[in-house]
Amino acid sequence: MRRVRFGFIGALLAVAWAAPLQAQQATGTIRGRVVDEAQQPLARVTVAAGARGTFTNADGRYVIAGVPAGTATVRARILGYGPVSREVTVVAGYPVVLDITMAAQAISLSEVVVTGYGEQSVGDITGAVTHLTPEEFNTGRIVSPAQLVESKVAGVQVVDNNEPGGGLSIRIRGATSVNASSEPLYVIDGMPVGTGAGGGLSAGRDPLNFLNPDDIQSITVLKDASAASIYGANAANGVVLIQTKSGAGNGRLGTQVEDSSSYSTSSVTKLPSLLNAQQFAAAVATYAPARVSLLGTANTDWFGLVDRTASGMEQNLSITGASERNFYRLSLGYLNQDGIIRGTTTQRISLGANFDQRMLNNNLDIKLNLKGSRSADLFTPGDVLGGAVSMAPTQPYLDPTSPTGFWDWNTTNASPSNPLASLALETDHGTTWRSIGNIQGEYRMPFLPALKANINMGYDLAQADRQTFIPNNLAAQIRQGHGYLSLANSSQLNSVFDAYLNYAAPLNVLPGSIDLTGGYSYSQSNSQYPRLQETGLNSNLLGDNGVPTANNVNPTKFVVDYKLISFFGRLNYNLADRYLASFSVRRDGSSRFGPGNQWGTFPAISGAWRISQEPFMHGFTTVSDLKLRASWAKTGNQAFGDYLFDPTYRFSTGSAQVQLGQNFVSTIRPSAVDPNIHWESTKSVNIGLDYGFANQRFSGSIDWYTKKTTDMIFTVPVAAGTNFSNYVTTNVGSMQNQGIEFSLSARVLEGRGGALSWTADFTAGHNANKLVSINPTRSVTQIATGNISGGVGNTVQIL
């Protein structure tokens, strides 16, 4: 592993030092800035003078050293703009300043997007990647960032449970695992959030809710494995890259203040088709005449009692400032949104701060990103919707003679519960404090501007409290458990350190240009989950404001700590914007696996042929882009339980005690484990076609893919009598996803100067998921267990 890492970094440095060795013969320098017709800087423009060349940086600035004295032709080229040529006279020992203005053709192809440990122009991407900006986001009532891209990206499904700030889930090209998470990896301003895949800790709803959608500048979805594989072990379910707004985003200098307010109402648009009181009474008389005596005389609309017209309001305030060398943005947001089911509400206060300082003649760029929020959630009790469906419409909802004041069925019957009683007497609420932040440093080597060193250090801190209380006098509790109390106070701290080198420049000895990246990543997570559960409450007096005495008290605390160490590299090659290739590899080591199974290697290769740049396509002027793509990659998944290779010990319950004389003693028993448990891996193939017409006013893509997950981790039965547990978690089978995606977007500018614009998007996707195999790849698995005296080993065959 070490030889591979040093070899790759050595190759990177060798390429980087090749240019200055040749530059010893240089006699002059050309520098300047490349902008568009609106005087906005253009990044990643190829600027060349003779055999020497470079890329422009984020400010559109470039420096070409080593240009022979005399007349030189400077050529500027980037996909999406017309090429420009200018002649200059180079004098030995003196810099020549040449600013270049380029005319737009299909500017969306030149847009620079973040693709993981670096940036690429949209037109240079060889994988299945979709990039969305605020002009393309969904509008209207947006509570969670996931709603911004709902139905906007082919192959991406946003699953909504219709709660305010509800637990939205994103699925990219279907589920790839059974036990492990199928959530994509979220990366916010270069900071991976959560533990592995997913969004991190919350009190019970969408873990991305801490992020104010109004702060988001762009969302990039890496759909296929070749685009996502640079993230290795966390990329099996795709990657969602989120960039937040900064003071540099609007291109204007000075200080600006923005304020926005919104108010909305929501209501139920469709209800289940249920019998009314008259129809219900007739049905009972027909099919259960013995129960006619149980019918009441009321006419209750249970759904009408539990749903409501919900209101919501949002307020956002931001201050941005920009100068030649520094940029900042401060934001404050407040959201208060009720749910359409009574008893559910979310409130969020969010803060954001982005700061960008450029120093040392713009060679050093320091960025600081901070986000924080407090979310307070009220949850609908779990039996409310079920009760509204199941309760008879002939029964009343109030009963003055009842201890609770609500009518309910006889407590000896296994009957549904009154949902109004649950709404009035049960409580379920949580508070989540969340903060993420990182500092990024990029240093451009003065002696070789194409070589940059990057460092990223960040944290993700969350505190989630949740209290659930069900009084013991509810009818369902009298029948089942006589009250329930749960107090949870969870915390999580994740830290990340990335360091990598990047060399991006046209090749001086070969045709084309390269973008070479190599680096190291270290992440660590520590989580604590203390919880108190009680059943059989002796009093309802304190509610969830205290801890009453109870028949069954179960305090628990789980502490999880894991580390992930990674080495990664990527090479992108571009030949005349016609032939594109990308190679990447990542080596991950995870503490979640035992010795011998901790390391995994995840390679990827992809290529693209831009047919529209071929000479035989020059007559088709309406075709602005036509690019054929193909890729293969392997990614991993480690988003499941920690330390499954070692047994854990648990105290027995009261029903599993051992009698010793007149005493009953609780036992401690170990779990069954597979010490050889290892990575789930997903191999993926993608073939796609990108197309654009009329200078990208109409654009889209077609993709076909297949991906297969092997060594799926699942919990399976263990032969009785061989262990202290009936189940073991191990690698047992494989799963396959196949699908096709289609997207078409239209963007039209109207009016003078394009003041009025409209967009239209159409996406379609089909995904077929099937279980290929449920047998383990090895017929015999070593199941190691232990007992309190030291350990017992067993070997069983999983059939």
Side-chain angles (χ1 to χ4, degrees):
M1 176 61 241
R2 188 171 298 175
R3 293 178 181 175
V4 174
R5 171 167 57 100
F6 290 143
F8 186 87
I9 295 178
L12 177 62
L13 293 174
V15 172
W17 281 101
L21 290 177
Q22 297 181 6
Q24 294 175 1
Q25 302 175 358
T27 57
T29 300
I30 302 174
R31 67 175 66 242
R33 195 164 184 250
V34 180
V35 297
D36 62 12
E37 294 170 305
Q39 298 303 302
Q40 295 301 309
L42 296 177
R44 298 189 68 85
V45 178
T46 302
V47 184
R52 313 294 298 177
T54 187
F55 288 137
T56 58
N57 60 18
D59 291 334
R61 302 184 186 278
Y62 70 93
V63 177
I64 306 176
V67 182
T71 301
T73 299
V74 178
R75 304 178 305 279
R77 176 179 58 84
I78 185 174
L79 200 65
Y81 286 82
V84 177
S85 296
R86 297 284 188 272
E87 286 192 356
V88 297
T89 300
V90 179
V91 179
Y94 292 91
V96 177
V97 178
L98 176 64
D99 293 334
I100 299 173
T101 300
M102 305 187 73
Q105 293 178 342
I107 60 176
S108 62
L109 296 176
S110 65
E111 187 174 1
V112 177
V113 300
V114 176
T115 55
Y117 303 106
E119 299 175 335
Q120 280 186 279
S121 298
V122 170
D124 294 340
I125 294 174
T126 57
V129 176
T130 300
H131 177 71
L132 297 175
T133 57
E135 293 78 13
E136 302 160 298
F137 289 159
N138 288 318
T139 58
R141 202 76 191 99
I142 302 297
V143 176
S144 171
Q147 295 173 309
L148 293 172
V149 299
E150 188 172 7
S151 302
K152 287 284 187 177
V153 184
V156 175
Q157 181 184 16
V158 178
V159 183
D160 190 351
N161 67 358
N162 294 316
E163 283 191 309
L168 274 70
S169 298
I170 290 182
R171 294 293 178 267
I172 300 177
R173 294 183 168 181
T176 58
S177 182
V178 179
N179 267 25
S181 172
S182 290
E183 285 283 310
L185 173 68
Y186 298 99
V187 182
I188 301 174
D189 293 328
M191 174 66 192
V193 300
T195 55
L201 183 67
S202 72
R205 286 201 172 119
D206 186 354
L208 283 184
N209 267 8
F210 76 95
L211 187 60
N212 185 353
D214 189 66
D215 287 340
I216 296 178
Q217 178 61 38
S218 68
I219 296 179
T220 304
V221 182
L222 311 182
K223 296 191 291 184
D224 73 330
S226 69
S229 63
I230 194 68
Y231 288 103
N234 296 323
N237 306 312
V239 180
V240 177
L241 305 175
I242 300 175
Q243 291 293 114
T244 60
K245 296 176 182 178
S246 66
N250 54 27
R252 292 179 290 180
L253 301 181
T255 302
Q256 300 175 56
V257 178
E258 295 183 8
D259 178 70
S260 64
S261 301
S262 66
Y263 179 82
S264 66
T265 59
S266 306
S267 60
V268 179
T269 57
K270 187 176 182 180
L271 291 172
S273 180
L274 301 174
L275 301 179
N276 58 31
Q278 183 179 0
Q279 294 168 333
F280 184 81
V284 172
T286 302
Y287 300 105
R291 299 192 176 185
V292 170
S293 60
L294 298 176
L295 293 175
T297 59
N299 185 7
T300 304
D301 178 10
W302 292 103
F303 264 107
L305 294 173
V306 301
D307 74 354
R308 65 182 173 183
T309 297
S311 61
M313 64 85 63
E314 185 174 12
Q315 182 78 29
N316 292 300
L317 175 68
S318 67
I319 302 174
T320 60
S323 66
E324 291 292 339
R325 295 295 182 90
N326 62 68
F327 313 89
Y328 69 87
R329 184 177 189 270
L330 305 174
S331 64
L332 171 65
Y334 174 73
L335 170 75
N336 189 339
Q337 178 69 53
D338 292 333
I340 56 178
I341 303 299
R342 297 183 185 277
T344 178
T345 300
T346 186
Q347 291 182 338
R348 178 182 66 215
I349 299 176
S350 60
L351 296 171
N354 287 8
F355 180 75
D356 187 338
Q357 178 69 56
R358 297 171 186 175
M359 300 176 287
L360 304 180
N361 198 26
N362 284 334
N363 287 324
L364 178 62
D365 189 358
I366 302 294
K367 295 180 180 179
L368 177 66
N369 308 294
L370 294 172
K371 295 288 181 293
S373 73
R374 176 191 180 274
S375 300
D377 295 294
L378 297 180
F379 303 94
T380 300
D383 58 347
V384 167
L385 290 179
V389 172
S390 305
M391 285 294 285
T394 59
Q395 309 306 131
Y397 63 91
L398 295 177
D399 181 4
T401 64
S402 170
T404 63
F406 294 91
W407 184 92
D408 226 314
W409 291 107
N410 190 304
T411 56
T412 60
N413 297 330
S415 304
S417 299
N418 187 330
L420 273 297
S422 298
L423 284 172
L425 301 176
E426 295 184 32
T427 59
D428 190 359
H429 58 94
T431 303
T432 303
W433 299 84
R434 185 84 179 270
S435 175
I436 69 167
N438 65 321
I439 183 170
Q440 299 170 304
E442 178 185 277
Y443 183 66
R444 186 183 301 270
M445 306 298 177
F447 56 86
L448 185 60
L451 180 63
K452 296 181 293 185
N454 296 267
I455 290 180
N456 176 38
M457 296 181 290
Y459 72 91
D460 178 4
L461 177 63
Q463 175 79 35
D465 304 332
R466 185 164 180 175
Q467 297 84 36
T468 303
F469 169 74
I470 305 176
N472 58 20
N473 57 354
L474 286 179
Q477 290 300 309
I478 295 176
R479 292 192 295 265
Q480 300 171 9
H482 297 284
Y484 173 81
L485 175 69
S486 173
L487 303 176
N489 187 316
S490 304
S491 62
Q492 184 181 93
L493 174 61
N494 306 319
S495 57
V496 170
F497 172 79
D498 300 325
Y500 57 96
L501 294 174
N502 173 258
Y503 179 83
L507 294 171
N508 296 323
V509 294
L510 295 173
S513 61
I514 64 169
D515 188 334
L516 185 61
T517 301
Y520 165 83
S521 178
Y522 173 87
S523 61
Q524 181 176 4
S525 175
N526 180 273
S527 305
Q528 299 189 27
Y529 305 97
R531 186 177 184 182
L532 173 66
Q533 285 184 295
E534 292 187 341
T535 58
L537 305 181
N538 296 325
S539 171
N540 297 324
L541 182 62
L542 297 176
D544 60 3
N545 295 313
V547 182
T549 58
N551 296 334
N552 299 295
V553 180
N554 183 25
T556 59
K557 183 177 182 180
F558 294 94
V559 178
V560 177
D561 188 278
Y562 92 97
K563 300 176 179 66
L564 181 70
I565 298 175
S566 308
F567 305 94
F568 56 88
R570 178 178 58 211
L571 171 63
N572 296 328
Y573 178 69
N574 182 335
L575 179 59
D577 290 330
R578 290 160 59 186
Y579 308 105
L580 310 169
S582 179
F583 310 89
S584 69
V585 63
R586 181 166 176 131
R587 178 78 168 165
D588 282 328
S590 173
S591 65
R592 284 179 170 158
F593 303 101
N597 298 297
Q598 294 177 323
W599 289 93
T601 302
F602 307 102
I605 180 172
S606 60
W609 174 32
R610 177 166 284 106
I611 306 172
S612 56
Q613 292 292 104
E614 295 291 347
F616 61 80
M617 291 292 295
H618 290 172
F620 300 91
T621 57
T622 58
V623 179
S624 54
D625 187 36
L626 189 62
K627 182 173 65 175
L628 181 65
R629 299 177 278 103
S631 66
W632 174 92
K634 176 183 177 182
T635 54
N637 198 338
Q638 54 132 15
F640 40 79
D642 294 89
Y643 310 115
L644 297 179
F645 61 90
D646 265 340
T648 57
Y649 293 83
R650 295 176 178 269
F651 282 95
S652 64
T653 62
S655 60
Q657 294 177 323
V658 176
Q659 183 176 3
L660 298 177
Q662 300 298 319
N663 298 319
F664 290 87
V665 180
S666 296
T667 62
I668 303 176
R669 66 177 185 274
S671 62
V673 298
D674 176 6
N676 295 316
I677 191 171
H678 54 271
W679 301 91
E680 287 186 351
S681 62
T682 301
K683 296 179 180 178
S684 171
V685 174
N686 189 97
I687 298 175
L689 179 70
D690 297 332
Y691 53 85
F693 304 96
N695 290 336
Q696 296 302 104
R697 283 194 172 187
F698 303 93
S699 62
S701 63
I702 301 174
D703 280 273
W704 173 88
Y705 64 88
T706 178
K707 57 180 182 178
K708 184 178 181 180
T709 302
T710 57
D711 295 330
M712 284 195 312
I713 294 178
F714 194 63
T715 302
V716 297
V718 177
T722 61
N723 290 274
F724 290 95
S725 175
N726 296 328
Y727 296 91
V728 66
T729 303
T730 185
N731 304 95
V732 297
S734 59
M735 175 190 297
Q736 186 174 21
N737 282 273
Q738 285 187 338
I740 188 169
E741 300 165 355
F742 172 80
S743 66
L744 176 63
S745 298
R747 290 165 177 79
V748 179
L749 298 178
E750 298 176 352
R752 187 175 181 179
L756 177 65
S757 66
W758 60 267
T759 64
D761 299 277
F762 175 80
T763 63
H766 172 75
N767 178 270
N769 176 278
K770 67 177 181 179
L771 189 64
V772 178
S773 170
I774 58 173
N775 294 320
T777 56
R778 54 192 186 280
S779 59
V780 177
T781 302
Q782 300 293 326
I783 307 299
T785 66
N787 59 22
I788 58 175
S789 62
V792 177
N794 298 284
T795 301
V796 301
Q797 183 174 359
I798 300 178
L799 302 177

